[in-house]
Amino acid sequence: MDQDPTRSRRPAVKTLAAVCGKGGTGKTAFTAMMARALLERHRTGRLLLIDADPAQGLTNAVGVRVKRTMGQIREDIIRTARSGDQSEKVQLADRLDYMLLEALVETETYALLAMGRTETLGCFCPVNDLLRGAIEALSGSFDTILIDGEAGVEQINRQVVRRVDALLIVSDATARGLQTAALVHQMVVQDRVIDCGRLGIVFNRVTGNRPLLAQSASDIGLDVLGFVPQDENIARHDLIGRPILELPAD
């Protein structure tokens, strides 16, 4: 894509948006397409993409190679805590900000931070805590932050982010996808697990039944933000591992 000098124009309001949904709905591909759309706007400013899924699908979808992840930083912290002397632990505490910057990949048009997986067995709670701290630390340096969340609802439940301006649920045309969407709606609207400015659903790989899908979303209490039709170009890019950012403009 050609560089647009207006792309660096600072937006009036900073925006934090997150994408979630049932596994297999194509949310990572959607997040990559959304990143492409944001990069073509004039009000996005500095864009940070966060791959919050341990499987690191977004890094592949946008064609970025990550050298360090938040999971690897956690492993370094654990090793030092277990075997390091006091001076090493002090040095580690002083290096945390630097380690975070090491994990940040910057391209000409956007930056990316990946959660990654850990070698140590156990839940991802400590990595989620690190990721939450990283998001809060980096939020002042970027105008727009777009998060590709882990499949399901655990990261919402564990408050990887405490507040988002927009939470986009990606669902396919299945009852299971809608069940996950209904659970997210309950967690955000009724249980108030996180503070959310706007909540909506996007139906992906749609081949028909739009009125029925719209009615199903309305029954849950969700605004339909859009329908993404089935597209062979996306399926082909996914199959051969070609970055989705390289999709044709149409």
Side-chain angles (χ1 to χ4, degrees):
M1 290 179 285
D2 295 334
Q3 285 287 88
D4 182 349
T6 62
R7 188 177 294 161
S8 61
R9 187 182 303 165
R10 310 292 279 192
V13 179
K14 295 201 173 196
T15 302
L16 172 60
V19 179
C20 65
K22 181 183 75 68
T25 58
K27 66 178 184 57
T28 295
F30 172 77
T31 305
M33 290 188 289
M34 188 172 173
R36 164 81 174 261
L38 285 169
L39 289 171
E40 292 174 351
R41 294 172 76 239
H42 295 164
R43 294 175 290 132
T44 299
R46 295 196 68 204
L47 173 64
L48 171 63
L49 304 178
I50 296 181
D51 189 347
D53 192 331
Q56 290 184 239
L58 185 62
T59 60
N60 297 321
V62 299
V64 169
R65 179 167 295 181
V66 176
K67 293 181 179 179
R68 281 177 67 77
T69 66
M70 299 304 295
Q72 290 169 330
I73 291 174
R74 174 185 179 252
E75 296 297 325
D76 289 345
I77 293 172
I78 290 173
R79 278 192 292 269
T80 303
R82 286 176 176 172
S83 59
D85 57 31
Q86 187 60 33
S87 64
E88 288 176 316
K89 293 176 183 178
V90 171
Q91 289 176 5
L92 179 65
D94 292 338
R95 289 185 60 240
L96 280 176
D97 287 346
Y98 175 73
M99 294 168 73
L100 173 59
L101 291 176
E102 276 187 320
L104 190 68
V105 178
E106 297 201 57
T107 74
E108 291 183 1
T109 53
Y110 62 90
L112 184 141
L113 183 70
M115 175 175 174
R117 65 181 184 86
T118 61
E119 299 171 8
T120 306
L121 294 177
C123 79
F124 281 94
C125 305
V127 188
N128 285 335
D129 290 342
L130 272 177
L131 188 58
R132 183 192 302 122
I135 293 170
E136 292 172 354
L138 291 170
S139 61
S141 301
F142 292 90
D143 304 299
T144 304
I145 300 176
L146 177 60
I147 304 172
D148 180 27
E150 186 178 4
V153 298
E154 270 307 294
Q155 286 187 336
I156 296 174
N157 192 44
R158 299 191 186 282
Q159 295 181 311
V160 172
V161 287
R162 294 186 175 93
R163 185 190 186 283
V164 292
D165 297 293
L167 182 61
L168 294 85
I169 306 168
V170 175
S171 178
D172 50 16
T174 65
R176 294 185 304 279
L178 286 164
Q179 287 167 1
T180 300
L183 181 55
V184 172
H185 178 270
Q186 177 184 326
M187 294 172 71
V188 173
V189 176
Q190 297 177 28
D191 302 337
R192 299 190 179 277
V193 174
I194 62 171
D195 182 8
C196 179
R198 185 179 184 191
L199 176 66
I201 189 168
V202 174
F203 287 103
N204 193 30
R205 296 197 293 258
V206 175
T207 57
N209 295 320
R210 291 193 181 194
L212 178 58
L213 292 172
Q215 183 59 54
S216 298
S218 178
D219 291 343
I220 295 171
L222 287 168
D223 292 332
V224 177
L225 303 180
F227 298 90
V228 181
Q230 176 70 26
D231 190 301
E232 290 306 315
N233 284 307
I234 299 172
R236 189 179 305 111
H237 276 59
D238 259 347
L239 178 63
I240 65 177
R242 186 174 177 181
I244 289 176
L245 289 186
E246 298 177 5
L247 283 168
D250 61 350

